[in-house]
Amino acid sequence: MNPVPSYKADMGFIHESDKFALGGFAVQPSELILTPRIAQCPLQFEARLLTCHKSAKPQGGAASTHLIMEADVLRVHADRSIVVPGTNHIDTAQWNPLFYVFRHYFGKGARLGRSYRAKY
């Protein structure tokens, strides 16, 4: 959002219209949707949103801040280096996804780092 809301600006957030360039990623056009893909990503899904639901309110009556999205995957792109030869199956021993879990980054079990907002 531009301008960045003051409460986010106070936390150090900035607006950057070209997020691909900021991250050092190459743009790769999608085949079935308008959203571009990241060329360096070895596994990519082109999908369309089917439905979106607000999650149930947690106990205590606090407002829900989570969305549950259901998508239809239209096309999968997988680099050959992570595919079992002669198949269309992902070789999970070769694929090393990056997970962002509660402000921390993980690969296959190893902690790789944390966001600046993480407290531990």
Side-chain angles (χ1 to χ4, degrees), residues 4-14 103 116-117:
V4 175
S6 60
Y7 74 93
K8 285 190 171 185
D10 291 344
M11 291 187 288
F13 289 92
I14 62 168
R103 300 180 178 169
Y116 71 95
R117 297 179 68 200

Side-chain angles (χ1 to χ4, degrees), residues 3 6 11 13 18 29 34-35 45-46 48 61 65 69 75 77 81 87 99 109-110 113:
S6 60
M11 291 187 288
F13 289 92
D18 190 352
L34 296 176
T35 306
F45 299 90
E46 291 187 42
R48 67 182 174 96
T65 59
M69 298 182 188
R75 180 145 306 157
H77 304 272
S81 67
T87 74
F99 298 103

